[in-house]
Amino acid sequence: MKKNYIYCFVLVFLIASCNKENTADKLFSKLDASETGIDFKNKLTETHKYNYFTYPYMYLGGGVSVGDINNDGLEDIFFTGNMVPNKLYLNKGNLKFEDISESAGIKGDKRWYAGTTFVDIDQDGYLDIYCSVSGKNPPHNNVLFINNKDNTFTEKAKEYGIDCDGQSMQSTFFDYDKDGDLDLYVINYPPTSFIAPLEYYDYMLDNHELKDSDRLYRNDDGKFTDVTVEAGLSSFGLSLGVVASDVNNDGYTDIFVSNDFNAPDFLFINNQDGTFTNQIDTSLQQTSFFGMGADIADFNNDGYMDIFQLDMSAEDNFRSKANMSAMDPAAFYKSVDIGLHHQYMQNSLQLNNGNEEGELPLFSNVSRLAGVSSTDWSWAGLLADFDNDGWKDLFVTNGIRRDVNNKDFYAKYREFFKWKTLQIMKQRKRTPDS
């Protein structure tokens, strides 16, 4: 019996030691709002008239930017709100933050704020805030908060010429023409029926309005000019992710756009003359179907930039069958035949195989080989070296408020509305003046 006690003691000691070691090895720890002062919640208030079925883009989410707005060496945090005010938290040190949203003048109005980008747009040494705007109700003009250098901001998007009036999701600033200043690319998600036929996406590629296209704004001495059409970038896509990077190592920045549903993705190669050419069919052999967020980085350290694109593919078979759409072979090949590319319902990790000077890069989708093809309902991905070992790691954000694609629910949903419709018809027949 004594020997058994000794064994038990040794076992407990080993377990305790392992737990202690695992805790010590953790790179990140979750901090409570009571500790940090960051209590932002992007709360969506669903009503009879405002819900996923009356506005199916309700769960597309907001954005977050991290940067030092007052040049004190500490990173501050800005959140956009869809149905709640924007929030700006000033870093006071030791991971303590102060909510200065009211005094800073960035809370916004009734607009549905989506993505956000920190950028020193006026080159005065202080970060400004550019916000994409979407939502069910107008106005849809994007917003630019200029930093007044005293922890307050003034809205000046129209003054700078970048109050884009599309249904914007996100933006990125980069110098596409190498003239020394930052230009702006904005992605839009024009309202589109989720049951739109394949032919609709093909038709809209050449028959869309400019406000539905992603937009390129050229920086001309501090003011911006919309050069979307002349740059060859007028397009139609349900854009959720955009990354600007030099994918062919020619010294000029290119653009990758991730599009939702059957809308084909874009790989705009910079022609070095102020124009771009979409080379998605030439360089990428396949893409994601429900294209969500995207990121670009050299994950294998070979000197070529690789592309990561998210989808909404479940990892386990049950959830995949219960919640996600099926890959319909007939629809898939029809999509290919009409020019919408080979789109597969999975994340894409596009390995850049490199290119000779003057040639286009060729990518191989290695997401399944890398074990990153299925991460459920994913929104944004970030490639970064979190443990400082010289290799890029991958972080993916997930979540959806309700399982709106649940097939059991949809079966009952259709039954209920069929019954409801019959009740209305019967009621009208009983009403003399109906």
Side-chain angles (χ1 to χ4, degrees):
M1 182 65 70
K2 191 173 186 181
K3 190 180 295 185
N4 288 341
Y5 284 136
I6 294 173
Y7 286 157
C8 289
F9 172 77
V10 171
L11 180 60
V12 170
F13 176 77
L14 287 174
I15 292 173
S17 298
C18 289
N19 288 339
K20 186 176 182 180
E21 182 179 349
N22 291 338
T23 303
D25 287 344
K26 286 199 305 183
L27 294 179
F28 297 93
S29 298
K30 184 178 179 180
L31 300 179
D32 192 82
S34 60
E35 300 176 64
T36 64
I38 299 176
D39 57 358
F40 174 78
K41 290 182 180 179
N42 189 28
K43 185 177 180 181
L44 300 177
T45 303
E46 296 170 318
T47 65
H48 179 68
K49 292 185 178 180
Y50 214 133
N51 55 71
Y52 176 83
F53 298 102
T54 60
Y55 183 62
Y57 312 106
M58 191 169 185
Y59 300 152
L60 289 185
V64 57
S65 291
V66 177
D68 183 4
I69 65 156
N70 59 347
N71 293 344
D72 64 353
L74 300 171
E75 302 290 301
D76 312 301
I77 306 178
F78 174 78
F79 295 94
T80 64
N82 298 150
M83 303 177 77
V84 298
N86 303 325
K87 288 275 191 174
L88 178 60
Y89 293 91
L90 195 65
N91 194 333
K92 308 299 287 185
N94 296 317
L95 295 176
K96 306 293 183 184
F97 293 82
E98 176 188 356
D99 183 353
I100 62 168
S101 309
E102 188 75 46
S103 61
I106 52 76
K107 293 177 67 175
D109 45 28
K110 294 297 183 181
R111 274 177 267 203
W112 188 286
Y113 290 82
T116 167
T117 306
F118 272 163
V119 59
D120 183 6
I121 201 167
D122 53 4
Q123 297 293 288
D124 65 351
Y126 283 77
L127 288 177
D128 311 298
I129 309 171
Y130 187 66
C131 297
S132 300
V133 172
S134 182
K136 187 176 182 180
N137 303 314
H140 295 129
N141 301 85
N142 290 353
V143 169
L144 172 66
F145 294 113
I146 293 293
N147 195 325
N148 298 322
K149 308 179 186 180
D150 59 0
N151 291 343
T152 69
F153 294 78
T154 303
E155 203 288 305
K156 294 187 177 181
K158 187 174 183 179
E159 183 177 323
Y160 278 76
I162 52 176
D163 56 333
C164 181
D165 59 350
Q167 297 264 8
S168 299
M169 289 289 112
Q170 186 54 289
S171 64
T172 182
F173 288 83
F174 61 100
D175 184 8
Y176 82 94
D177 51 6
K178 301 188 73 171
D179 64 352
D181 54 28
L182 291 175
D183 310 297
L184 169 64
Y185 190 85
V186 178
I187 59 171
N188 292 319
Y189 196 120
T192 302
S193 171
F194 287 176
I195 58 172
L198 293 173
E199 291 83 0
Y200 173 81
Y201 296 97
D202 181 49
Y203 174 81
M204 291 299 288
L205 286 172
D206 297 316
N207 297 278
H208 58 272
E209 297 181 37
L210 182 60
K211 72 182 182 73
D212 291 333
S213 171
D214 297 342
R215 310 281 271 278
L216 176 66
Y217 294 90
R218 185 183 64 216
N219 191 331
D220 296 323
D221 298 321
K223 305 298 180 182
F224 289 79
T225 304
D226 188 336
V227 294
T228 306
V229 175
E230 63 189 78
L233 291 170
S234 184
S235 58
F236 179 85
L238 312 184
S239 304
L240 287 176
V242 59
V243 195
S245 181
D246 181 7
V247 299
N248 58 347
N249 285 2
D250 66 351
Y252 283 77
T253 305
D254 312 299
I255 308 168
F256 176 76
V257 179
S258 176
N259 288 321
D260 202 359
F261 287 90
N262 290 100
D265 302 321
F266 306 128
L267 179 62
F268 292 117
I269 297 295
N270 195 323
N271 297 324
Q272 306 181 14
D273 60 0
T275 68
F276 293 79
T277 302
N278 184 19
Q279 300 288 4
I280 194 76
D281 292 333
T282 307
S283 289
L284 274 70
Q285 301 170 72
Q286 55 183 244
T287 64
S288 297
F289 182 51
F290 296 101
M292 312 292 260
D295 197 13
I296 292 181
D298 179 12
F299 79 85
N300 61 339
N301 293 344
D302 66 350
Y304 294 98
M305 303 304 286
D306 312 298
I307 303 172
F308 182 66
Q309 179 188 20
L310 286 164
D311 203 303
M312 40 190 282
S313 172
E315 186 174 11
D316 65 276
N317 185 63
F318 177 83
R319 182 162 172 76
S320 178
K321 294 293 185 287
N323 289 276
M324 301 305 176
S325 302
M327 286 293 297
D328 181 347
F332 174 84
Y333 286 109
K334 183 178 180 181
S335 177
V336 173
D337 290 341
I338 64 177
L340 302 180
H341 209 1
H342 300 74
Q343 301 184 49
Y344 292 87
M345 190 175 164
Q346 62 181 15
N347 298 342
S348 295
L349 180 60
Q350 305 285 359
L351 175 67
N352 191 334
N353 297 305
N355 59 285
E356 298 294 331
E357 185 175 351
E359 294 182 355
L360 293 172
L362 181 64
F363 293 83
S364 299
N365 186 2
V366 297
S367 63
R368 291 198 178 276
L369 292 173
V372 297
S373 65
S374 305
T375 52
D376 214 286
W377 201 310
S378 305
W379 294 102
L382 176 64
L383 288 161
D385 184 5
F386 292 107
D387 54 2
N388 292 330
D389 66 350
W391 295 88
K392 295 291 189 297
D393 308 301
L394 178 59
F395 180 77
V396 174
T397 61
N398 275 359
I400 188 71
R401 182 169 183 176
R402 306 186 190 284
D403 273 337
V404 292
N405 282 355
N406 183 276
K407 294 180 180 179
D408 291 335
F409 163 76
Y410 261 104
K412 293 186 177 298
Y413 176 79
R414 284 192 294 269
E415 288 177 7
F416 171 77
F417 277 96
K418 182 179 179 181
W419 173 83
K420 191 71 175 176
T421 302
L422 290 173
Q423 296 304 308
I424 293 173
M425 292 172 66
K426 289 179 181 178
Q427 180 66 34
R428 286 181 176 176
K429 287 180 179 178
R430 289 197 295 266
T431 305
D433 55 348
S434 61

